[in-house]
């Protein structure tokens, strides 16, 4: 049974939230700017601009190169959307194509297409996937301190002088000045310092 609601307003909200979730898992704006940058770069060399009774043809000898650059930019934009794992390569390639389009394709689609490509490539390089919500809550115990401090506060000590360390801050139980179990040795005090890999006895 589908979870999609039946009323039009509910369907719109459902698809809007799904699109928002899809957009948040990939460099959406980088791909959009890259897609849009390919349009002026590929279009202007083949366009005919009419000014009154005057027809001006923008075709140049580099029209084929402009078309190739425009298609590549559109492909890179789709790659950023549907294969974001290669976003760094796609961003670098987009920036290089934007620079190449300046001398090849009418100043990069009259600078407009080149600027869009540069912005899209930069956004693709800067984008990073977000962290899941459960990991963020695990790192923040609630009082603004880090999980390292929370692990230190959780250390408890036994009455016989030994220490129980349920969670050490760095995952290693034998750090300097860290309490450890007494192992039944009566010569060890409650707090023992670890030096040169061994325990210093108090007696």
């Amino acid at each position: 049974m589908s979870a999609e609601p039946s009323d039009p307003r509910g369907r719109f909200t459902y698809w809007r939230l799904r699109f928002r979730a899809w957009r948040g898992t990939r460099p959406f704006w980088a791909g959009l700017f890259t897609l849009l940058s390919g349009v002026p770069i590929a279009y202007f060399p083949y366009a005919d601009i009419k000014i009154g009774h005057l027809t001006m043809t923008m075709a140049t000898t580099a029209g084929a190169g402009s078309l190739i650059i425009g298609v590549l930019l559109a492909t890179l934009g789709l790659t950023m959307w549907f294969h974001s794992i290669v976003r760094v390569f796609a961003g670098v390639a987009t920036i290089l194509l934007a620079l190449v389009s300046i001398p090849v394709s009418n100043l990069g689609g009259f600078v407009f297409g080149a600027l869009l490509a540069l912005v899209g490539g930069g956004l693709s390089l800067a984008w990073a996937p977000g962290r899941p919500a459960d990991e963020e809550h695990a790192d923040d115990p609630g009082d603004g301190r880090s999980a390292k401090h929370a692990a230190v506060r959780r250390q408890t000590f036994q009455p016989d002088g030994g220490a129980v360390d349920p969670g050490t801050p760095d995952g290693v139980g034998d750090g300097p000045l860290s309490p450890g179990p007494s192992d039944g040795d009566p010569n060890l005090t409650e707090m023992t310092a670890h030096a040169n890999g061994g325990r210093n006895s108090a007696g």
Side-chain angles (χ1 to χ4, degrees):
M1 183 176 180
S2 175
E4 182 180 351
S6 57
D7 58 304
R9 182 176 298 180
R11 282 199 302 268
F12 174 76
T13 303
Y14 171 79
W15 287 109
R16 181 177 62 84
L17 293 177
R18 286 199 61 179
F19 172 74
R20 184 177 179 182
W22 177 84
R23 186 188 66 186
T25 58
R26 65 206 69 236
F28 174 78
W29 295 108
L32 181 63
F33 282 124
T34 304
L35 275 171
L36 294 178
S37 68
V39 175
I41 291 176
Y43 172 75
F44 284 124
Y46 297 94
D48 293 335
I49 299 177
K50 292 185 177 181
I51 304 175
H53 296 287
L54 178 64
T55 301
M56 184 170 58
T57 302
M58 303 298 297
T60 62
T61 56
S66 301
L67 181 62
I68 292 173
I69 292 174
V71 171
L72 286 177
L73 287 173
T75 304
L76 289 171
L78 294 175
T79 302
M80 294 173 189
W81 280 356
F82 299 104
H83 201 58
S84 60
I85 194 171
V86 293
R87 62 188 179 276
V88 175
F89 166 77
V92 172
T94 300
I95 293 174
L96 291 178
L97 287 175
L99 297 177
V100 170
S101 69
I102 294 176
V104 170
S105 177
N106 295 328
L107 296 177
F110 295 113
V111 185
F112 183 67
L115 285 178
L116 285 175
L118 289 174
V119 172
L123 288 175
S124 180
L125 290 175
W127 185 86
R131 300 175 61 186
D134 52 353
E135 292 184 9
E136 293 180 358
H137 292 309
D139 288 344
D140 187 4
D143 56 356
R145 300 183 181 179
S146 63
K148 176 180 178 180
H149 296 160
V152 172
R153 291 196 305 273
R154 286 198 302 269
Q155 283 186 341
T156 56
F157 297 93
Q158 293 179 347
D160 60 353
V164 177
D165 187 3
T168 55
D170 54 358
V172 180
D174 290 331
L177 299 178
S178 63
S182 63
D183 299 329
D185 191 348
N187 294 326
L188 297 182
T189 59
E190 242 181 61
M191 297 291 293
T192 58
H194 296 243
N196 298 326
R199 294 189 178 92
N200 293 334
S201 62

